[in-house]
Amino acid sequence: MASHLSPSLDQTFTYPSSDPQCLIRWTRLGPSDAQALIFIHGTPWSSRLWAPYALALSSRYSVYIFDNPGYGQSRHLTPAATAAFAANGSLSEQAEATAALMAHWGFTSKTTEGEQSNGAPHIIAHDNAGLVSLRMALQYSCIYKSLTLIDVVAVGPWGLPFFKLVAENEDVFKAIPPRMFDGIIRSYIRDAAHKPLRKEDEDMLAEPWVSGDGRPGQEGLVRVLQQASTRKSDDAEVQYHKLGESRLPVRIIWGKEDRWVPCERAEKLKDLIGGKCKVVLVEEAGHLIQLDQPERLMAEIVLFLGEVDE
């Protein structure tokens, strides 16, 4: 499943349109009249982590992928937006921007007149995209056909010790020589996988955070790790039950060896959502389940989407 034939993000969306603060790059794959499917990546990744899955599923679905503001090819943020996104540990800013992007694609939300949608999309979210997608549904009234949550950041307690260390020593981490920082980046990335990463996969994941050519680089990674150290979800967690009550099909998929977000959180999240939400634990997979167990993950995604589409 691993592949670096990443589709070009050849479309752009500025947010907000009245006073552009960020430029989101995106693309759509597959038949335009097919059921829509949206992949959302987390931190510190990009849409390239989802690219092989998006390409494979585009034979059946109309697939949307994009890079979150400040990540990958969506690296251009104004100073004001940089400060806002960095300080927003609740991820409400990112949820608002992604909800606006969905509206730009023509997917409408719940209104006072009732539910309206241009063919509600399936949503597949990884890492902190879990909290983003949950906020989009609960706070920005986005309508989904289904929601797949994969090793997500969505329930506390929060914070890897490394996040706190970076947040408390910002200037030190920004001043580390690039070659030394490259080693830190790679060690951090390797810790997210259960199995040894192929060099080409490690290079792909590290590349956006290596300074140069307009990439976010060292300061960019320090910024997103600072944000991760202040993650907040209490206000959202108390509303998760609304998704179960709405009968939205939700599937939680988790790597059993996830060291970043232990698999016990999957059961906690399932209990908070309720309804028909189910958990699937995948053996021999860590936080980077896309690379640890690609065939099994694809099988679980296809199985769930098939159940919902019947």
Side-chain angles (χ1 to χ4, degrees):
M1 179 63 65
S3 169
H4 298 298
L5 296 175
S6 299
S8 173
L9 304 183
D10 54 2
Q11 304 294 316
T12 60
F13 171 68
T14 54
Y15 175 80
S17 57
S18 58
D19 180 25
Q21 298 290 311
C22 63
L23 183 71
I24 299 175
R25 293 194 175 275
W26 63 276
T27 196
R28 190 194 62 77
L29 308 168
S32 60
D33 59 349
Q35 167 63 48
L37 168 62
I38 301 172
F39 284 100
I40 311 178
H41 72 81
T43 295
W45 323 116
S46 74
S47 62
R48 293 183 69 182
L49 190 58
W50 281 129
Y53 296 83
L55 288 166
L57 289 169
S58 66
S59 62
R60 179 175 178 181
Y61 293 94
S62 177
V63 181
Y64 294 80
I65 59 171
F66 65 98
D67 281 343
N68 292 328
Y71 295 77
Q73 296 179 48
S74 300
R75 62 190 62 146
H76 300 293
L77 301 175
T78 65
T82 297
F85 279 97
N88 190 234
S90 70
L91 297 176
S92 59
E93 292 273 357
Q94 188 170 319
E96 182 177 344
T98 309
L101 178 61
M102 277 188 63
H104 173 70
W105 289 334
F107 302 112
T108 52
S109 305
K110 295 176 185 177
T111 68
T112 55
E113 289 77 29
E115 294 189 2
Q116 301 177 3
S117 68
N118 178 21
H122 293 296
I123 302 291
I124 299 179
H126 176 243
D127 192 79
N128 68 9
L131 180 55
V132 169
S133 60
L134 289 162
R135 286 195 183 280
M136 287 165 60
L138 295 166
Q139 296 177 216
Y140 297 98
S141 302
C142 292
I143 303 171
Y144 308 149
K145 186 167 185 179
S146 75
L147 177 60
T148 305
L149 301 169
I150 302 171
D151 289 83
V152 294
V153 171
V155 293
W158 297 113
L160 291 172
F162 182 58
F163 296 164
K164 184 177 180 182
L165 181 66
V166 172
E168 292 176 348
N169 299 276
E170 174 187 356
D171 292 338
V172 173
F173 277 88
K174 287 182 177 179
I176 293 172
R179 281 193 175 185
M180 293 179 65
F181 194 77
D182 181 71
I184 293 173
I185 294 170
R186 291 175 182 276
S187 177
Y188 169 63
I189 289 171
R190 286 194 293 268
D191 188 58
H194 174 64
K195 299 178 180 179
L197 290 173
R198 301 187 312 163
K199 184 178 186 303
E200 53 264 45
D201 290 329
E202 183 179 308
D203 289 345
M204 177 270 290
L205 295 171
E207 187 269 341
W209 308 112
V210 177
S211 298
D213 299 326
R215 294 187 291 267
Q218 192 163 328
E219 290 198 10
L221 184 59
V222 169
R223 181 181 68 242
V224 301
L225 295 181
Q226 280 181 302
Q227 185 202 65
S229 74
T230 62
R231 190 73 67 234
K232 299 174 183 176
S233 63
D234 292 354
D235 62 313
E237 288 182 39
V238 296
Q239 300 183 65
Y240 289 170
H241 67 92
K242 295 179 181 179
L243 296 178
E245 293 167 0
S246 74
R247 306 181 78 175
L248 172 71
V250 180
R251 183 64 45 89
I252 299 171
I253 303 173
W254 219 279
K256 199 170 182 180
E257 281 69 47
D258 190 333
R259 290 187 292 269
W260 283 18
V261 190
C263 63
E264 289 77 16
R265 304 282 177 86
E267 290 294 334
K268 181 178 179 180
L269 180 57
K270 184 197 77 167
D271 291 343
L272 288 172
I273 294 173
K276 295 184 178 180
C277 178
K278 295 181 180 179
V279 172
V280 174
L281 297 181
V282 178
E283 301 277 355
E284 298 296 311
H287 193 68
L288 282 174
I289 188 173
Q290 296 96 328
L291 301 177
D292 280 331
Q293 290 285 10
E295 291 82 7
R296 174 69 190 280
L297 177 58
M298 177 60 93
E300 293 296 341
I301 289 173
V302 170
L303 178 63
F304 179 52
L305 296 182
E307 291 174 2
V308 176
D309 287 337
E310 285 182 352

